Amino acid sequence: MSAVSIVGVSKMFEKTRAVHIERLDIPSGQFFSILGPSGCGKTTLLRMIAGFESPSSGRILVNGDDITEKPPQDRGIGMVFQTYALFPHMTVYGNVAFGLEVRNTQKEEIRRRVWESLEAVDLVRKIDEHVPRLSGGEQQRVAVARALVLQPSILLFDEPLSNLDVSLRVKTREEIRALQRRTGITTVYVTHDQEEAMSLSDRIAVMRDGVLEQVGTPEEVYEQPVNPFVAKFLGGANLVEGHYAEKRFTAGKFAVSVRGAAKVPAGNATLAIRHEAIIVLPLKKAGTFSAVVQEKEYLGFTTNLILLLDGLEVHSSMVSSTFSNQLHVGDTVRIRFDMEMVKLFPGWRT
Amino acid sequence: MADLKSFLRISIVIPVAFAAVVILGYVLYPLFAMARESLLVHGVISFDRYAELLSWHNTGFWEAVLNSIVVSLATVVLSGVVGTLFAVTLTQCDFVGKKAIASLAVLPIGLPPLVGVISFLFVFGESGIIPRLLQQMFVSEESILGFDGFAAILMVHVYSFYVYTYLFLLPPLRNIDASLIEAASSVGAGAWTAFRRVILPEIRPALTGAALLTFMASMASFTAPFLFGGDKRFLTTLIYSTKLNGDIELAAAQSVLLGIASVMFFFFFRRTASTSTRAAKGSTRDGKITITPWPRRILIAGTIGVFVFELLPILTILMIAFAKEGSWTWQIFPASYTLENFHKLFYDAHVFEPILNSIMMSILTLVFCILVGVTVSYVIVRGSLGRWKAPVELLVNIPFALPGTIIAIGLLIVFNSSHILGGFAVLVGSFWILPIAYFARSYPLVVRSTSAALETLDGSLLEAGAALGAGFWSRLRKVVLPLIGSGIISGALLVSIASLGEFVSSILLYSLNNRPIAVEILSQMRMYNFGGAAAYCVFLLLLILGCVWGASFATSRLGHRQRK
């Protein structure tokens, strides 16, 4: 059974439609990410599940119960806010105990459960600390402990890592994942960071302009994007607009033969070429195309190039090697495509 | 479920409705009634009264207007100078005793206007200590340097109102970016040019705001013109004497005119206040402006001088409170001292009565101010009023802009006869009229301080509370109140200070059964019982000190409550 079902939900702000979702089912026990650029409606969707916004139409079901009309406090949902929203006038203990205290739980049990959930996030030693004195990462973990202590059926995260610096972000990401695995709690995680979504999730929903573009496992959305937007947003891709006819895609001087695109009708089409699908080779090697290096960006393990290829500017990414290290701006190179990572989509600009 | 929702709705609606009724009925309606009264001539609406009032032949009125404006402009300039002197010295210079001066510089805020005036009278008045001293030193027939009339009013005003300039200038002067000055001097600007072109623009919004507030306060000032004005009439004292002469309709018309002017200034003040926030881009470097030694010495000397001048009246009033009755007639200092004045306060029930009245009325005022003020702030800040927010806020804050005299006249007009709002009784002459007046004058203080605290309250904290299962009342009690508590307390402190020493509306509305301290101080003065008057003043100051202590205790308790 699905832990959360969104059925025909739409949300209007004034006259603009922020969210419109025909159906979305979030399976029980999964780590589910909602991924999209800022302003795509992903946070609004999460806030509707939490009960801070009410849908203009449609139903939201949690474990089969219709909770659309319920106030947030009666939904049994835990939430970790982007700013953590820890109560600044309370200690770590006070924050974590809050939800139990308003439920009139017995003192002894509060003490025990607060201890347990702080143990889970490895913060017992900070139990009496005042919240403003904690570091960003510690505050984040208190926020998680505060949500977990109530043993909610669903845990919601609203971009919880966006206020942390990069190194801490990766570490906290791993902790969140481990915690979810251990507890098995259904988790809905909103983010605009595709790497975060890929690394954490069992399934990802990609959103744009309030609408779901694709739902699937990280592998599915990365390897079989349903449209150029998903291809570009997840993993990055060069989008080339051109024409498709008789198994050949052409855009100006650029032409390439594409197989296995039976579903694409002849006419306008968009070719999505992943950065790593462009295999750069020395000039003397055999290759279909030749290109000129416009820019080079050395990042250690990888090297990024901007290439001029038959009048097109394309981005490529490769593992650094002696060959790539010797490349200079202005050099001419040979190019091949890894056609597994090149996708053809009908039409332009979808 | 539906029952619960309707219960919640009702339990929110009741306080909001209560606040609305109280503000509409006891604050705004009397102002409306006053305006209506001013327009009624023999039961018909007519502008004749205003035409007569505003005609050029009515020299009395225009003189009062002129006097008020002249004294207010002079107050703005002088208190601007003193306030700037204090702010610049205390932020930019270091010297021994700076901390003490900084902590006492806001003293006039806690000083009831009447106490300020009386203590000035003791020191600088025609028969005050300093003129007597000078008279004796120079063996003169007349008192020397005895302040009276304009000069005295001006001095009391500067004394009471320089705090506005001082407090407004503190933040911008503290946050001045020293690198701006350095940048200016690196491109060749001298000290004066740097001040004029770099610092002045930074503090101009604060100065403008303070000037408007000072102007409003001194136009509204009643106590100083009342006691020092002599024959000279000012707008507030004119309204008072018009009422004493029994022409309440004319007093209403005069009040309406002064009220319109006050609200206009209030509007300008809010406009400047809202545009005065500047966003600093990039990282700024806080630091002190380099001031060369001589100007620095002059600044410090000036500040200490003004500070001593400011402390003198307080010290004097302390001394005179211990003066034996009749021992301070021609002497420079009272001849003999006694505890009798204080003894009487506690052991003579008749003497203690005004104190009891003031305390009881202040407690009543405080309770209503908090109930109504907090509710109103909540509605303004979190009530999603949309485009109605600004007008509602302005309307609710109007009493803040109005002189106490006007509020008193409005209440007199409504409650001079039996009225439904007075429970079908005549409230003028009863105990209740003063708490109502105090409330109407001071609840905006709670609204302002609470709104400020609510504005900074992070909305996601309330959502977090809800997500954790706390209902509306739990969230209010466990999240909102602890976080805005210090805001409420600081507003409540200002309310109790204002009510305990209230004089302006009391003098128009008091009766035998609710005579407050301030009115009693005045009657002691009129009976030449200076020791008794001073003892009341000192006791009043002690009460206020107690409130200050109580407020800081309560604030610190808020911080401790959640600690384990």
Side-chain angles (χ1 to χ4, degrees):
Chain A
M1 187 175 61
S2 302
V4 183
S5 295
I6 313 287
V7 186
V9 162
S10 66
K11 174 71 183 174
M12 309 289 291
F13 286 122
E14 306 279 311
K15 276 176 187 153
T16 51
R17 199 176 65 180
V19 172
H20 179 73
I21 290 172
E22 285 302 332
R23 174 125 202 152
L24 173 65
D25 291 300
I26 298 172
S28 206
Q30 280 206 350
F31 199 114
F32 192 95
S33 287
I34 302 170
L35 174 69
S38 57
C40 72
K42 57 190 188 300
T43 295
T44 306
L45 175 59
L46 191 78
R47 291 169 60 80
M48 285 193 285
I49 299 174
F52 303 133
E53 308 275 359
S54 47
S56 309
S57 62
R59 316 253 55 129
I60 297 173
L61 312 177
V62 168
N63 297 325
D65 296 332
D66 187 341
I67 58 151
T68 320
E69 303 282 318
K70 273 192 183 176
Q73 58 264 34
D74 299 337
R75 293 191 177 199
I77 286 175
M79 174 137 172
V80 176
F81 292 79
Q82 186 170 12
T83 55
Y84 316 139
L86 297 178
F87 305 121
H89 57 296
M90 298 180 191
T91 59
V92 169
Y93 180 90
N95 267 280
V96 181
F98 182 91
L100 298 167
E101 279 169 1
V102 298
R103 284 174 173 75
N104 295 321
T105 314
Q106 284 201 321
K107 267 247 162 69
E108 276 311 302
E109 201 193 336
I110 293 182
R111 208 171 289 274
R112 184 178 58 77
R113 283 171 64 179
V114 168
W115 189 274
E116 279 172 10
S117 75
L118 282 176
E119 238 168 13
V121 296
D122 191 24
L123 264 184
V124 174
R125 73 212 134 78
K126 300 272 181 182
I127 191 163
D128 286 326
E129 200 77 57
H130 267 256
V131 163
R133 294 221 189 119
L134 302 180
S135 70
E138 288 168 340
Q139 292 192 8
Q140 212 272 341
R141 275 142 67 197
V142 176
V144 173
R146 184 176 70 175
L148 276 181
V149 78
L150 298 173
Q151 297 161 348
S153 61
I154 294 151
L155 190 55
L156 307 179
F157 286 91
D158 183 13
E159 307 218 16
L161 304 182
S162 57
N163 286 324
L164 300 178
D165 58 50
V166 180
S167 61
L168 202 55
R169 207 177 293 171
V170 175
K171 183 171 169 281
T172 312
R173 194 166 83 189
E174 285 159 4
E175 285 169 3
I176 289 176
R177 184 63 178 132
L179 199 69
Q180 195 271 337
R181 288 249 166 81
R182 211 161 58 231
T183 53
I185 185 170
T186 310
T187 300
V188 183
Y189 188 100
V190 158
T191 181
H192 65 268
D193 184 328
Q194 52 103 3
E195 193 185 306
E196 220 169 276
M198 302 275 275
S199 69
L200 283 168
S201 316
D202 295 313
R203 285 164 77 78
I204 296 177
V206 185
M207 265 183 96
R208 178 173 56 155
D209 297 339
V211 180
L212 287 179
E213 296 281 343
Q214 188 171 5
V215 181
T217 64
E219 294 80 4
E220 280 165 5
V221 284
Y222 181 76
E223 280 163 24
Q224 286 127 39
V226 294
N227 58 35
F229 169 78
V230 176
K232 191 175 166 77
F233 194 76
L234 265 113
N238 298 289
L239 297 185
V240 183
E241 290 174 348
H243 281 272
Y244 177 68
E246 293 164 13
K247 299 192 173 177
R248 273 188 81 74
F249 174 84
T250 49
K253 282 191 286 172
F254 175 76
V256 64
S257 56
V258 185
R259 273 164 304 214
K263 277 179 266 174
V264 180
N268 288 347
T270 304
L271 195 67
I273 311 167
R274 289 241 179 259
H275 298 162
E276 55 273 33
I278 300 175
I279 300 164
V280 182
L281 302 162
L283 199 52
K284 54 182 186 281
K285 291 255 174 128
T288 337
F289 303 93
S290 66
V292 180
V293 178
Q294 300 275 75
E295 301 270 358
K296 180 181 160 181
E297 194 180 37
Y298 175 70
L299 295 175
F301 180 67
T302 54
T303 297
N304 294 340
L305 298 175
I306 299 180
L307 301 163
L308 193 63
L309 165 65
D310 287 345
L312 297 173
E313 215 171 59
V314 291
H315 292 247
S316 81
S317 182
M318 63 201 286
V319 176
S320 299
S321 62
T322 13
F323 163 63
S324 75
N325 288 349
Q326 283 160 3
L327 279 177
H328 295 288
V329 170
D331 288 356
T332 306
V333 291
R334 286 263 172 239
I335 283 190
R336 256 191 319 122
F337 291 123
D338 178 352
M339 292 312 284
E340 285 288 304
M341 286 190 277
V342 175
K343 298 276 178 252
L344 187 69
F345 299 102
W348 291 353
R349 290 266 160 231
T350 47
Chain B
M1 193 55 228
D3 289 344
L4 185 72
K5 258 194 169 171
S6 59
F7 164 75
L8 274 180
R9 215 170 286 137
I10 287 168
S11 53
I12 298 164
V13 158
I14 286 173
V16 172
F18 171 73
V21 165
V22 169
I23 289 180
L24 287 173
Y26 296 92
V27 181
L28 298 178
Y29 173 68
L31 295 175
F32 165 76
M34 178 179 78
R36 191 187 53 194
E37 190 82 0
S38 74
L39 284 170
L40 285 179
V41 179
H42 303 301
V44 192
I45 287 193
S46 140
F47 285 96
D48 288 357
R49 192 174 285 117
Y50 282 97
E52 201 180 317
L53 181 61
L54 290 170
S55 89
W56 286 114
H57 306 295
N58 189 359
T59 50
F61 175 73
W62 288 109
E63 258 175 49
V65 171
L66 194 69
N67 285 339
S68 283
I69 289 178
V70 167
V71 92
S72 299
L73 287 177
T75 304
V76 167
V77 172
L78 257 184
S79 50
V81 169
V82 173
T84 312
L85 173 75
F86 265 63
V88 169
T89 315
L90 292 176
T91 54
Q92 309 299 330
C93 308
D94 284 313
F95 56 96
V96 181
K98 174 180 161 173
K99 266 197 178 151
I101 294 185
S103 59
L104 288 172
V106 291
L107 198 78
I109 286 187
L111 204 64
L114 187 73
V115 176
V117 170
I118 301 269
S119 55
F120 248 77
L121 206 61
F122 286 148
V123 187
F124 301 106
E126 265 179 304
S127 56
I129 286 177
I130 287 184
R132 284 188 199 195
L133 195 70
L134 293 172
Q135 189 179 359
Q136 197 153 332
M137 275 167 71
F138 295 101
V139 200
S140 159
E141 286 289 305
E142 282 172 36
S143 90
I144 298 173
L145 219 140
F147 284 102
D148 198 9
F150 253 85
I153 297 171
L154 190 57
M155 271 174 66
V156 173
H157 278 185
V158 171
Y159 181 51
S160 317
F161 302 145
Y162 84 89
V163 184
Y164 296 137
T165 310
Y166 171 66
L167 287 179
F168 272 58
L169 282 184
L170 278 187
L173 278 177
R174 271 202 194 119
N175 300 333
I176 249 177
D177 185 0
S179 57
L180 287 180
I181 313 279
E182 286 159 13
S185 53
S186 76
V187 294
W192 172 245
T193 315
F195 176 78
R196 205 166 46 85
R197 302 281 299 274
V198 180
I199 302 185
L200 203 58
E202 291 282 320
I203 62 176
R204 184 172 291 138
L207 274 180
T208 317
L212 283 168
L213 201 60
T214 309
F215 190 83
M216 272 167 63
S218 61
M219 285 295 278
S221 165
F222 172 80
T223 317
F226 180 65
L227 282 162
F228 289 127
D231 308 334
K232 282 204 181 68
R233 286 271 173 268
F234 295 78
L235 275 173
T236 47
T237 52
L238 179 72
I239 294 170
Y240 175 77
S241 59
T242 307
K243 187 261 157 183
L244 277 201
N245 291 337
D247 195 344
I248 190 85
E249 292 88 357
L250 185 59
Q254 292 163 341
S255 299
V256 167
L257 292 178
L258 178 58
I260 289 171
S262 305
V263 170
M264 267 166 53
F265 271 98
F266 180 58
F267 196 71
F268 287 134
F269 168 69
R270 283 169 56 95
R271 286 262 301 265
T272 59
S274 65
T275 54
S276 68
T277 41
R278 279 161 163 268
K281 289 192 187 74
S283 64
T284 60
R285 195 166 72 73
D286 289 353
K288 291 192 169 117
I289 308 161
T290 324
I291 304 174
T292 45
W294 268 108
R296 175 185 297 266
R297 278 174 207 142
I298 293 169
L299 281 176
I300 295 173
T303 304
I304 294 178
V306 174
F307 179 70
V308 169
F309 174 81
E310 187 190 300
L311 268 191
L312 265 183
I314 304 281
L315 297 176
T316 308
I317 215 160
L318 267 174
M319 179 182 75
I320 291 173
F322 293 98
K324 206 167 193 162
E325 203 175 335
S327 75
W328 194 46
T329 45
W330 53 268
Q331 301 92 334
I332 297 171
F333 296 110
S336 51
Y337 297 89
T338 170
L339 280 173
E340 195 191 336
N341 296 321
F342 288 99
H343 190 265
K344 266 196 213 154
L345 280 186
F346 294 104
Y347 290 97
D348 188 333
H350 182 69
V351 177
F352 191 66
E353 202 188 295
I355 292 175
L356 202 64
N357 285 338
S358 277
I359 292 176
M360 272 165 55
M361 294 191 293
S362 299
I363 291 174
L364 268 172
T365 308
L366 194 58
V367 169
F368 278 84
C369 280
I370 290 176
L371 286 180
V372 172
V374 173
T375 311
V376 165
S377 318
Y378 200 87
V379 170
I380 289 176
V381 180
R382 303 228 161 250
S384 29
L385 295 177
R387 62 202 170 91
W388 292 103
K389 182 178 169 175
V392 167
E393 203 181 353
L394 190 71
L395 208 60
V396 161
N397 276 308
I398 270 183
F400 177 77
L402 292 179
T405 314
I406 294 182
I407 287 172
I409 295 284
L411 291 175
L412 264 176
I413 285 167
V414 174
F415 296 113
N416 229 341
S417 49
S418 76
H419 194 282
I420 180 170
L421 289 167
F424 297 105
V426 183
L427 287 190
V428 171
S430 81
F431 173 83
W432 291 98
I433 192 72
L434 278 189
I436 292 175
Y438 294 0
F439 166 81
R441 287 202 70 186
S442 53
Y443 80 87
L445 296 168
V446 177
V447 174
R448 294 165 73 85
S449 66
T450 310
S451 303
L454 270 173
E455 295 277 4
T456 60
L457 184 71
D458 181 2
S460 64
L461 292 179
L462 297 182
E463 294 182 348
L468 293 168
F472 177 83
W473 290 108
S474 287
R475 294 202 294 272
L476 192 67
R477 198 166 51 81
K478 302 190 92 173
V479 181
V480 180
L481 282 182
L483 288 174
I484 66 167
S486 60
I488 299 176
I489 290 169
S490 68
L493 174 64
L494 292 176
V495 169
S496 26
I497 292 174
S499 323
L500 281 169
E502 215 281 347
F503 176 69
V504 180
S505 59
S506 304
I507 191 74
L508 274 161
L509 296 169
Y510 83 97
S511 58
L512 262 181
N513 49 33
N514 64 2
R515 193 168 31 112
I517 301 179
V519 169
E520 182 61 23
I521 291 174
L522 185 71
S523 54
Q524 293 290 328
M525 290 297 289
R526 289 206 165 126
M527 293 186 287
Y528 295 101
N529 184 7
F530 300 132
Y536 274 118
C537 287
V538 169
F539 193 83
L540 185 53
L541 291 179
L542 287 176
L543 276 179
I544 287 169
L545 210 63
C547 291
V548 172
W549 180 82
S552 68
F553 177 73
T555 310
S556 70
R557 286 288 299 179
L558 274 181
H560 282 288
R561 213 168 68 175
Q562 297 292 333
R563 290 190 192 177
K564 291 268 160 187

